[in-house]
Every structure is written in structure tokens, then in C-alpha cells.
Amino acid sequence: MDTGTGASLAWSPGAASQPPPGLAVKLGSLVLLLLLPLACGLAPLWCFRQPPDPRSPVLSLVSCFSGGVFMGTFLLDLLPDYLGSIAAALEGLRVTLQFPLPEFILAMGFFLVLVLEQATLAQRELAEPPEESRALLPGASIQAAAPVGSAAPGGRGALRAGALALALALHAVLEGLALGLREGEAAALRVLLALLLHKGAVAFGLSLELLRSRLRPPAVASCLALLALMSPLGVGVGTALAAGAGPRQRLCRAVLEGLAAGTFLFVTFLEILPQELGAPGNRIPKVILILAGFALVSAVLFVKG
């Protein structure tokens, strides 16, 4: 009898400190998801020692490739994940709605960027002098010589670039959160490999868009550093909350995913692609590169699946 009692009260340090499943992969992902996107994003800065001309044909073609990457990210990654997440969250809360809530949240993210952009442009137009007085100002000839479609620092291009970086950073947190909530080493490793390929391509495309918007290299590097930090942050938060992911937490996450998807919808389909396809020249190569960027995201998600 004493032997049985002693056996039941025996203490095993190894059994008491059992690590969560997949913890080693998640810890390694903190470093990899930080360094690889940062290196891919800084590559265009090393190629372009100075901010490139936004009218450069080469930069326009590469921007078309990044536009295809962003379009594939929205249609094949952001949108399906968001719709699945909010449907599961509402089902977990046992909520039945007649109102199209998922589409409404997506539209709110779209209108968020639209209102911010148009309000900024309206304030900028009010601050500019009228056409009659521009000729009396010094430097009026310099202003007239500037190309109509060029993006000046702090103007439309900078606002668009900031909205794009914000959408990608929010999505990076959510992707890292999804990895942190994974149970099992094999599942976490599979998601990690897909994220590394995906984040490398997205960081490279974001860097090109920021340079094309005439942002200075230090500002571009700051945006890339912010983007690189978001996925490890999400992994850490997801790992800490893996045991307590309730339906309300899933609903909050789904709402954030919807806002990020709406922002991505605006930037991709109303800014990047119309700007490139509306410019004359190299139309067939532009379409080919858009398809190539879309195919890259499709291949990454195929491997992920």
C-alpha cells in the first residue's frame, strides 16, 4: 500500500515542465520571420542608391509584378481567411444574422482608406494657392514643370504608401497570430515555410511601392522594420493565447482581418493596378508580370495547403 502511495506522489521534473507542442518551431520562427522579410525588403534599397524616377519603365514593370502579388494575397489569402474566421466566430457565439456583416466590415476597411486619402487631398488643395496667383509666386515655373502624375513626398503617393504599409503590418500580425495558435510541430512548420516565402515576396513588393511613391530610403527602411516586427509579434501573442482562444477573441480577430482586407482591396485595385495599367507603353509585359506575381502567391498557397 505504501509503495502504491509513493508511486502516485512521485514528482517528475520532466513531466511537470512539458513544453507546448510546436514550441521549438515557433521560437525559431521569431527570428526567421524577422530577418528574411527585412532582407528581402532592403534589397531594392541596395539596388537603388537614390530614390528612383517614378516614371522609370523598369520600376513600372517591377511594380506590376508586386501588384500581382498583392492581388493574389487579397483574393487567395486575405479574403478566404477572413470569411472563414468570421463565419467560425459567429457560429461559435451562436449568432445568426440577416445583415451581411462580413461584407460590411470589409467595406468599412475600404472606406477607411478612402476617407483618409480624400480628406488629406482636400486639405492639401485648400492650402494651395489658386491658379491666378501661382504665376505671381516665386518658383512658379518649377511647379509648372513638375509632371502631373508624379508623387511628391507627403502627398498622394506617401499617403497611399502609408496605407499599404499599415494594411500589410496588420495582416502580418494576424498571420503571425495564426501561426502562434497552431498546435503541433508539423502544422506550425508547414505554416512557417509558407509565411517565409510569402513575406519575402510581399516585403520586396512593398519596398518597391514605397520607393515609387518617392519616400526617402530611411522612411522606407522604417516601414520595412515595422512590417518585419509584426509577424514575430503575432507569433508571440498567439503562442501566449493558444490555450484560451474563445469565440469572442476569434470574433475580434476576424473584425481586424476584415478591416485589413478592405484596406488591401482599396490599395490594390484602386491605386497600384490602375496607376500602372493606365500609363502607356509596355502593356503586354505589364500583364505578364501581373500574372507572374499572382502565380507566385498561388504557388506559395498551394504548398501551404
Side-chain angles (χ1 to χ4, degrees):
M1 188 69 177
D2 294 337
T3 305
T5 304
S8 63
L9 296 177
W11 176 69
S12 174
S17 59
Q18 194 74 14
L23 181 60
V25 176
K26 295 176 183 179
L27 291 177
S29 68
L30 296 177
V31 179
L32 293 176
L33 289 174
L34 174 64
L35 296 181
L36 183 62
L38 193 59
C40 294
L42 291 177
L45 291 180
W46 296 331
C47 297
F48 301 105
R49 298 298 180 181
Q50 296 180 350
D53 185 0
R55 297 168 296 173
S56 171
V58 176
L59 191 57
S60 177
L61 292 175
V62 181
S63 182
C64 287
F65 176 79
S66 66
V69 171
F70 295 140
M71 181 171 62
T73 300
F74 171 76
L75 290 176
L76 304 180
D77 191 8
L78 271 173
L79 187 59
D81 284 352
Y82 161 61
L83 294 177
S85 297
I86 195 168
L90 293 176
E91 183 180 358
L93 291 172
R94 298 180 180 179
V95 174
T96 303
L97 297 175
Q98 299 297 327
F99 181 76
L101 181 62
E103 291 78 6
F104 178 79
I105 296 174
L106 187 70
M108 287 303 99
F110 178 91
F111 287 127
L112 176 64
V113 186
L114 178 65
V115 171
L116 288 176
E117 181 186 73
Q118 294 303 313
T120 303
L121 292 176
Q123 292 295 326
R124 189 165 172 239
E125 290 173 357
L126 291 175
E128 290 179 352
E131 293 290 339
E132 295 81 7
S133 60
R134 282 187 182 180
L136 303 178
L137 297 177
S141 59
I142 300 177
Q143 294 176 356
V148 176
S150 63
R156 183 185 180 93
L159 181 63
R160 183 194 69 184
L164 178 60
L166 178 61
L168 288 173
L170 179 57
H171 182 51
V173 173
L174 297 173
E175 283 187 330
L177 185 65
L179 174 58
L181 292 173
R182 290 282 179 169
E183 295 183 358
E185 185 173 343
L189 183 59
R190 185 169 61 250
V191 175
L192 172 62
L193 293 177
L195 283 182
L196 288 175
L197 294 175
H198 182 55
K199 287 303 170 189
V202 169
F204 185 82
L206 174 64
S207 179
L208 289 173
E209 287 302 321
L210 295 178
L211 287 173
R212 187 173 177 79
S213 299
R214 306 301 297 271
L215 266 69
R216 298 184 180 275
V220 176
S222 300
C223 292
L224 292 173
L226 176 65
L227 177 64
L229 287 171
M230 291 299 102
S231 289
L233 176 63
V235 173
V237 174
T239 303
L241 299 178
R248 293 185 179 180
Q249 289 82 359
R250 289 197 297 267
L251 180 61
C252 293
R253 176 190 167 195
V255 170
L256 293 177
E257 285 181 337
L259 294 176
T263 304
F264 216 85
L265 172 67
F266 178 89
V267 173
T268 303
F269 291 98
L270 266 69
E271 292 290 350
I272 298 178
L273 294 181
Q275 178 182 353
E276 301 302 335
L277 297 179
N282 298 321
R283 295 194 177 275
I284 301 302
K286 287 179 180 179
V287 173
I288 293 175
L289 286 172
I290 291 174
L291 293 175
F294 187 87
L296 175 62
V297 178
S298 302
V300 171
L301 294 176
F302 182 80
V303 174
K304 178 181 178 181

PDB file of all heavy atoms in Angstrom, residues 88-90 92-93 244-255:
ATOM      1  N   ALA A  88     -16.694  31.209 -38.550  1.00  0.00           N
ATOM      2  CA  ALA A  88     -16.468  30.335 -37.403  1.00  0.00           C
ATOM      3  C   ALA A  88     -16.720  31.059 -36.085  1.00  0.00           C
ATOM      4  O   ALA A  88     -17.257  30.474 -35.138  1.00  0.00           O
ATOM      5  CB  ALA A  88     -15.033  29.799 -37.450  1.00  0.00           C
ATOM      6  N   ALA A  89     -16.340  32.347 -36.023  1.00  0.00           N
ATOM      7  CA  ALA A  89     -16.560  33.101 -34.786  1.00  0.00           C
ATOM      8  C   ALA A  89     -18.039  33.301 -34.512  1.00  0.00           C
ATOM      9  O   ALA A  89     -18.508  33.142 -33.374  1.00  0.00           O
ATOM     10  CB  ALA A  89     -15.843  34.452 -34.873  1.00  0.00           C
ATOM     11  N   LEU A  90     -18.813  33.644 -35.533  1.00  0.00           N
ATOM     12  CA  LEU A  90     -20.255  33.818 -35.340  1.00  0.00           C
ATOM     13  C   LEU A  90     -20.937  32.501 -35.001  1.00  0.00           C
ATOM     14  O   LEU A  90     -21.876  32.455 -34.197  1.00  0.00           O
ATOM     15  CB  LEU A  90     -20.872  34.427 -36.599  1.00  0.00           C
ATOM     16  CG  LEU A  90     -20.462  35.865 -36.916  1.00  0.00           C
ATOM     17  CD1 LEU A  90     -21.054  36.314 -38.240  1.00  0.00           C
ATOM     18  CD2 LEU A  90     -20.875  36.810 -35.796  1.00  0.00           C
ATOM     19  N   GLY A  92     -19.484  30.042 -33.384  1.00  0.00           N
ATOM     20  CA  GLY A  92     -19.122  29.743 -32.006  1.00  0.00           C
ATOM     21  C   GLY A  92     -19.943  30.532 -31.001  1.00  0.00           C
ATOM     22  O   GLY A  92     -20.228  30.040 -29.907  1.00  0.00           O
ATOM     23  N   LEU A  93     -20.326  31.750 -31.367  1.00  0.00           N
ATOM     24  CA  LEU A  93     -21.179  32.561 -30.493  1.00  0.00           C
ATOM     25  C   LEU A  93     -22.663  32.274 -30.695  1.00  0.00           C
ATOM     26  O   LEU A  93     -23.500  32.884 -30.012  1.00  0.00           O
ATOM     27  CB  LEU A  93     -20.914  34.051 -30.761  1.00  0.00           C
ATOM     28  CG  LEU A  93     -19.543  34.580 -30.330  1.00  0.00           C
ATOM     29  CD1 LEU A  93     -19.345  36.001 -30.830  1.00  0.00           C
ATOM     30  CD2 LEU A  93     -19.401  34.528 -28.817  1.00  0.00           C
ATOM     31  N   GLY A 244      -6.262  29.764 -24.638  1.00  0.00           N
ATOM     32  CA  GLY A 244      -7.509  30.448 -24.279  1.00  0.00           C
ATOM     33  C   GLY A 244      -8.134  31.199 -25.415  1.00  0.00           C
ATOM     34  O   GLY A 244      -8.569  32.326 -25.232  1.00  0.00           O
ATOM     35  N   ALA A 245      -8.171  30.614 -26.604  1.00  0.00           N
ATOM     36  CA  ALA A 245      -8.754  31.275 -27.771  1.00  0.00           C
ATOM     37  C   ALA A 245     -10.246  30.987 -27.802  1.00  0.00           C
ATOM     38  O   ALA A 245     -10.691  29.968 -28.330  1.00  0.00           O
ATOM     39  CB  ALA A 245      -8.086  30.800 -29.053  1.00  0.00           C
ATOM     40  N   GLY A 246     -11.071  31.872 -27.231  1.00  0.00           N
ATOM     41  CA  GLY A 246     -12.505  31.696 -27.189  1.00  0.00           C
ATOM     42  C   GLY A 246     -13.184  32.311 -28.389  1.00  0.00           C
ATOM     43  O   GLY A 246     -12.550  32.953 -29.237  1.00  0.00           O
ATOM     44  N   PRO A 247     -14.517  32.158 -28.500  1.00  0.00           N
ATOM     45  CA  PRO A 247     -15.235  32.697 -29.665  1.00  0.00           C
ATOM     46  C   PRO A 247     -15.206  34.221 -29.742  1.00  0.00           C
ATOM     47  O   PRO A 247     -15.178  34.786 -30.829  1.00  0.00           O
ATOM     48  CB  PRO A 247     -16.666  32.180 -29.459  1.00  0.00           C
ATOM     49  CG  PRO A 247     -16.749  31.817 -28.012  1.00  0.00           C
ATOM     50  CD  PRO A 247     -15.374  31.395 -27.610  1.00  0.00           C
ATOM     51  N   ARG A 248     -15.204  34.911 -28.599  1.00  0.00           N
ATOM     52  CA  ARG A 248     -15.143  36.375 -28.648  1.00  0.00           C
ATOM     53  C   ARG A 248     -13.792  36.855 -29.149  1.00  0.00           C
ATOM     54  O   ARG A 248     -13.711  37.828 -29.906  1.00  0.00           O
ATOM     55  CB  ARG A 248     -15.426  36.948 -27.265  1.00  0.00           C
ATOM     56  CG  ARG A 248     -16.862  36.719 -26.791  1.00  0.00           C
ATOM     57  CD  ARG A 248     -17.137  37.408 -25.478  1.00  0.00           C
ATOM     58  NE  ARG A 248     -18.516  37.201 -25.053  1.00  0.00           N
ATOM     59  CZ  ARG A 248     -19.029  37.705 -23.935  1.00  0.00           C
ATOM     60  NH1 ARG A 248     -18.266  38.445 -23.129  1.00  0.00           N
ATOM     61  NH2 ARG A 248     -20.290  37.477 -23.624  1.00  0.00           N
ATOM     62  N   GLN A 249     -12.720  36.179 -28.719  1.00  0.00           N
ATOM     63  CA  GLN A 249     -11.400  36.537 -29.225  1.00  0.00           C
ATOM     64  C   GLN A 249     -11.306  36.282 -30.724  1.00  0.00           C
ATOM     65  O   GLN A 249     -10.706  37.069 -31.471  1.00  0.00           O
ATOM     66  CB  GLN A 249     -10.312  35.750 -28.486  1.00  0.00           C
ATOM     67  CG  GLN A 249     -10.093  36.170 -27.046  1.00  0.00           C
ATOM     68  CD  GLN A 249     -11.097  35.560 -26.096  1.00  0.00           C
ATOM     69  OE1 GLN A 249     -11.981  34.822 -26.506  1.00  0.00           O
ATOM     70  NE2 GLN A 249     -10.961  35.859 -24.808  1.00  0.00           N
ATOM     71  N   ARG A 250     -11.912  35.186 -31.188  1.00  0.00           N
ATOM     72  CA  ARG A 250     -11.891  34.891 -32.624  1.00  0.00           C
ATOM     73  C   ARG A 250     -12.697  35.929 -33.404  1.00  0.00           C
ATOM     74  O   ARG A 250     -12.344  36.278 -34.530  1.00  0.00           O
ATOM     75  CB  ARG A 250     -12.433  33.485 -32.880  1.00  0.00           C
ATOM     76  CG  ARG A 250     -11.516  32.370 -32.416  1.00  0.00           C
ATOM     77  CD  ARG A 250     -11.896  31.042 -33.055  1.00  0.00           C
ATOM     78  NE  ARG A 250     -13.241  30.627 -32.665  1.00  0.00           N
ATOM     79  CZ  ARG A 250     -13.499  29.836 -31.637  1.00  0.00           C
ATOM     80  NH1 ARG A 250     -12.500  29.389 -30.877  1.00  0.00           N
ATOM     81  NH2 ARG A 250     -14.740  29.477 -31.362  1.00  0.00           N
ATOM     82  N   LEU A 251     -13.783  36.432 -32.806  1.00  0.00           N
ATOM     83  CA  LEU A 251     -14.567  37.454 -33.495  1.00  0.00           C
ATOM     84  C   LEU A 251     -13.788  38.762 -33.608  1.00  0.00           C
ATOM     85  O   LEU A 251     -13.810  39.409 -34.665  1.00  0.00           O
ATOM     86  CB  LEU A 251     -15.881  37.685 -32.743  1.00  0.00           C
ATOM     87  CG  LEU A 251     -16.815  38.739 -33.351  1.00  0.00           C
ATOM     88  CD1 LEU A 251     -17.228  38.341 -34.764  1.00  0.00           C
ATOM     89  CD2 LEU A 251     -18.041  38.951 -32.475  1.00  0.00           C
ATOM     90  N   CYS A 252     -13.093  39.157 -32.556  1.00  0.00           N
ATOM     91  CA  CYS A 252     -12.261  40.367 -32.607  1.00  0.00           C
ATOM     92  C   CYS A 252     -11.170  40.235 -33.664  1.00  0.00           C
ATOM     93  O   CYS A 252     -10.903  41.165 -34.430  1.00  0.00           O
ATOM     94  CB  CYS A 252     -11.649  40.650 -31.244  1.00  0.00           C
ATOM     95  SG  CYS A 252     -12.839  41.114 -29.970  1.00  0.00           S
ATOM     96  N   ARG A 253     -10.573  39.063 -33.723  1.00  0.00           N
ATOM     97  CA  ARG A 253      -9.544  38.831 -34.736  1.00  0.00           C
ATOM     98  C   ARG A 253     -10.133  38.890 -36.141  1.00  0.00           C
ATOM     99  O   ARG A 253      -9.536  39.450 -37.063  1.00  0.00           O
ATOM    100  CB  ARG A 253      -8.892  37.475 -34.497  1.00  0.00           C
ATOM    101  CG  ARG A 253      -7.879  37.102 -35.559  1.00  0.00           C
ATOM    102  CD  ARG A 253      -7.448  35.658 -35.426  1.00  0.00           C
ATOM    103  NE  ARG A 253      -6.740  35.232 -36.608  1.00  0.00           N
ATOM    104  CZ  ARG A 253      -6.490  33.970 -36.924  1.00  0.00           C
ATOM    105  NH1 ARG A 253      -6.922  33.013 -36.129  1.00  0.00           N
ATOM    106  NH2 ARG A 253      -5.832  33.658 -38.010  1.00  0.00           N
ATOM    107  N   ALA A 254     -11.343  38.334 -36.318  1.00  0.00           N
ATOM    108  CA  ALA A 254     -11.973  38.356 -37.631  1.00  0.00           C
ATOM    109  C   ALA A 254     -12.312  39.781 -38.056  1.00  0.00           C
ATOM    110  O   ALA A 254     -12.183  40.128 -39.239  1.00  0.00           O
ATOM    111  CB  ALA A 254     -13.237  37.493 -37.610  1.00  0.00           C
ATOM    112  N   VAL A 255     -12.730  40.626 -37.123  1.00  0.00           N
ATOM    113  CA  VAL A 255     -13.032  42.021 -37.463  1.00  0.00           C
ATOM    114  C   VAL A 255     -11.765  42.735 -37.938  1.00  0.00           C
ATOM    115  O   VAL A 255     -11.780  43.479 -38.933  1.00  0.00           O
ATOM    116  CB  VAL A 255     -13.652  42.738 -36.255  1.00  0.00           C
ATOM    117  CG1 VAL A 255     -13.750  44.239 -36.504  1.00  0.00           C
ATOM    118  CG2 VAL A 255     -15.039  42.171 -35.950  1.00  0.00           C
TER     119      VAL A 255
END
